[in-house]
Amino acid sequence: MITLEMPAENLLRVGKATAKKLQNLGLRTAEDLLFYFPFRYEDWSKILPISQLTYGSAGTCRGRVELIKNTRSFHKRKNITEALVSDKSGSIKVVWFNQPFLTKVLKVGDEIFLSGRVDFDRFGIHLTSPSYEKIRKGEEATHTARIVPVYRTTESLTTKQIRFLVKLVAPLAARVRDWMPPEIKKDFNLVNLSQALKQIHFPDSVSVLKEARHRLKFDELFLIQIHNLLLKANLQKSTAPAITFREAETKKFTGALPFKLTDGQRQAAWEILKDMASGKPMNRLLEGDVGSGKTVVAAIAALNVFSNGYRSVFMAPTEILARQHYETLRGLFNDFPIVVGLLTRTNVMVKDPKDLKDLNDREDIDDCKMSKSGFLKQANEGKIDLIIGTHALIQEKIKIENIGLAIVDEQHRFGVKQRQALKGDGEMPHFLSMTATPIPRTMSLVFFSDLDLSVIKEMPVGRKKILTKVVAPENRSKAYDFIAKEIKNGRQAFVICPLIDLSDKLGVKSAKEEYKRLSQEIFPALKIGLLHGKMKSEDKEKVMKDFLENKINILVSTSVVEVGVDVPNATIMMIEGAERFGLAQLHQFRGRVGRSIFQSYCFLFSESENEEAAKRLVVMTTCNDGFSLAEKDLEFRGPGEVWGVRQSGMPDLRIATLADYDIIKQAKEAAEQLIKKDPELSDLPYLLEKLDDFEKEVHLE
Ligand code: ADP
Ligand code: MG
């Protein structure tokens, strides 16, 4: 007897090799197969008399094999199987290619179903390579004469094999426990889970298939909402330092800025300060386009935390960015007695305010350097007020109590583990994450419902629009002439190279080649720099520093290397293989220029002949708004592509998508209704168990 836990290997017709292939699809057990949903269906349910199978039609017929034989085509050395099949209404010729075994499977006299298309060519009118299936008494058809499921598969495993195995395990659907509370099923019109699982594979009709899909999509979206609501409630149960608003210091800080805050910045800062005053941990995402000025907002938060006697940590995705944030923040806090520290793998730095002399254990390398152990000791004793570093380093090395605020740049949220690490044994800190990636509304409804959101909508005034052009291959040299002219005028340029193939995970190959080409052939007289992810971080820092100081004219970089650094003098962003990037991502690259009074340019190069790709790129030339570009991305490429599932922390759903707007809303409502009644879900052990499995499966952390 088959059980849910049974390894796929023990199923009928599965040998070691097939088991391995199944494993590659993540299918290890009978249960895995049951939850491996088809990605589309073919409706072969209508059975027609053979006489109605006319040229151009498609359908299923039921007949008797009258004749079957293999022949060889003369030129192409293909094997051809020809058969004649008849029913009461007539007969039809059937042709298959390169399946000589068919004469062993189908014998004269067999009753069979055939589903396929009717063609007309040198064979005359015939069914061409139809699906076939012998009719067995008391057994329903699997591959023909029904709505047939089609599964995603790998090269060496056929959808027919998967279908056969799923059919074997399908009766287990009746044994899967329905964890959904009955009242939710009733209120939201959901069919039973076992019904849904059976019908999702072998639907009796289009309408029950719809119900099955609805139920299974609802399940995923509902579990995400429950997950988020529990996270939120959990956080609400703990306390965090109450950070009171320090008006005088804040005014002094904003007054010293060389610009006025935008309304968006003001509003965001106010929302953050209000959260932090509450005594409950803040859990806020600050979203704002590249260059909208998120850093000052974070600085205002850190300043208030400092004035309340607590410390902040500020985490960046890369060392280069951490360094840049350090430079920026120590500048911003120049007139405040705030000790700002930078922790990277290769060095540490501390900005030691003049009126604060108690940083002992300093090695006098120069006035702002100390040893790493010295730094960590000071940091762990709480003597460094604002510690800047990469995510990994800070979590690993810093064991300070009294962190009042943790800021994370270019990340959507804090993970559970990350939170735990930052909490230590002390109180929960406030959490602020920042992102330049625009989050479409459905996205925030589904994945970010546990977070409070602040959005900076406008850009600081006076920014020049970046002129964007898609450059045709024949105009490449003109673009180079233009770049040469800009560089002569003292400006600088970025060149971004895409990944060429998957084996070259970091895009190193293409960047190196481009670097060689530009420095040897195109711009031999200019200074070209190269930046890629395989370089040592000292070397990366050195290249960035040289670029920042205009010792490098053109910086060739992989897309993988974060170029989120501020080089105001760079006015040209050139992107090779632009069609390989999402619009939102191109927009991020473009945001690296246009940070000064000089007019900036973005040139998109594309080798692709694909019209769709070209259309997509043209959008960049007219649209300057990251938010609409992200929406366009969703339209052109779908969420999976845009959001590179794992890396952005988006769970990998089996069946629900962001297009399921109505179900998203219902699932949210259902989850809220349930949690309101039973905040701990203590009466729903099956739901909690399912949630646990789900979180592991889709990597919700
Ligand atoms: P991002 O949101 O991409 O992190 P930054 O914080 O790096 O943006 O800010 C980009 C640039 O804009 C910085 O040089 C910063 O000093 C400047 N800036 C920030 N706010 C304003 C403002 N209100 N007016 C003018 N310039 C500003
Ligand atoms: Mg930033």
Side-chain angles (χ1 to χ4, degrees), residues 413-465:
R413 59 146 49 87
F414 284 87
V416 173
K417 282 191 204 114
Q418 214 176 357
R419 274 211 176 101
Q420 219 47 48
L422 289 162
K423 175 176 172 285
D425 301 327
E427 243 179 332
M428 198 61 103
H430 296 286
F431 297 104
L432 176 66
S433 45
M434 306 200 289
T435 179
T437 318
I439 302 167
R441 198 178 129 63
T442 42
M443 197 84 177
S444 62
L445 267 180
V446 177
F447 298 120
F448 301 106
S449 53
D450 60 322
L451 290 171
D452 296 307
L453 198 62
S454 291
V455 186
I456 304 179
K457 290 211 179 72
E458 73 272 70
M459 291 301 250
V461 285
R463 289 271 161 80
K464 282 213 175 75
K465 214 174 137 182

Side-chain angles (χ1 to χ4, degrees), residues 291 294-295 321 325 409-410 434 564 592 595:
K294 296 184 287 294
T295 319
L321 262 174
H325 279 314
D409 196 19
E410 306 292 347
M434 306 200 289
R592 287 359 298 179
R595 300 186 152 233

Side-chain angles (χ1 to χ4, degrees), residues 2-9 11 22 25-37 151 165-166 168-179 193 197 200-201 216 654 689-690 693-694 697:
I2 304 175
T3 61
L4 286 164
E5 299 77 27
M6 182 181 273
E9 211 170 321
L11 294 171
L22 288 169
L25 290 170
L27 305 174
R28 284 158 215 280
T29 63
E31 185 171 14
D32 292 341
L33 278 160
L34 188 61
F35 280 85
Y36 193 65
F37 304 145
Y151 298 91
L165 292 172
V166 172
L168 274 185
V169 304
L172 293 174
R175 269 188 263 156
V176 175
R177 190 169 56 203
D178 198 343
W179 47 269
L193 185 55
L197 286 173
I200 195 77
H201 293 292
L216 294 168
R654 285 168 190 265
E689 205 176 295
K690 175 70 192 182
D693 291 345
F694 180 74
E697 177 196 313

Side-chain angles (χ1 to χ4, degrees), residues 648-663:
S648 58
M650 290 314 140
D652 198 356
L653 301 181
R654 285 168 190 265
I655 183 164
T657 71
L658 290 179
D660 296 311
Y661 189 65
D662 291 336
I663 312 180

Side-chain angles (χ1 to χ4, degrees), residues 257-263 265 286-297 324-325 328 332 409-410 434-436 456 459-463 564 566 568 588 591-592 595:
L257 292 172
F259 46 74
K260 247 184 81 198
L261 291 181
T262 62
D263 287 346
Q265 286 172 312
L286 174 58
E287 182 194 337
D289 211 341
V290 196
S292 61
K294 296 184 287 294
T295 319
V296 246
V297 176
Q324 183 129 32
H325 279 314
T328 305
L332 286 171
D409 196 19
E410 306 292 347
M434 306 200 289
T435 179
I456 304 179
M459 291 301 250
V461 285
R463 289 271 161 80
D566 215 348
Q588 301 280 322
R592 287 359 298 179
R595 300 186 152 233

Side-chain angles (χ1 to χ4, degrees), residues 332-347:
L332 286 171
F333 290 137
N334 218 9
D335 296 330
F336 293 85
I338 300 179
V339 183
V340 184
L342 172 71
L343 171 66
T344 69
R345 229 175 301 279
T346 47
N347 70 4

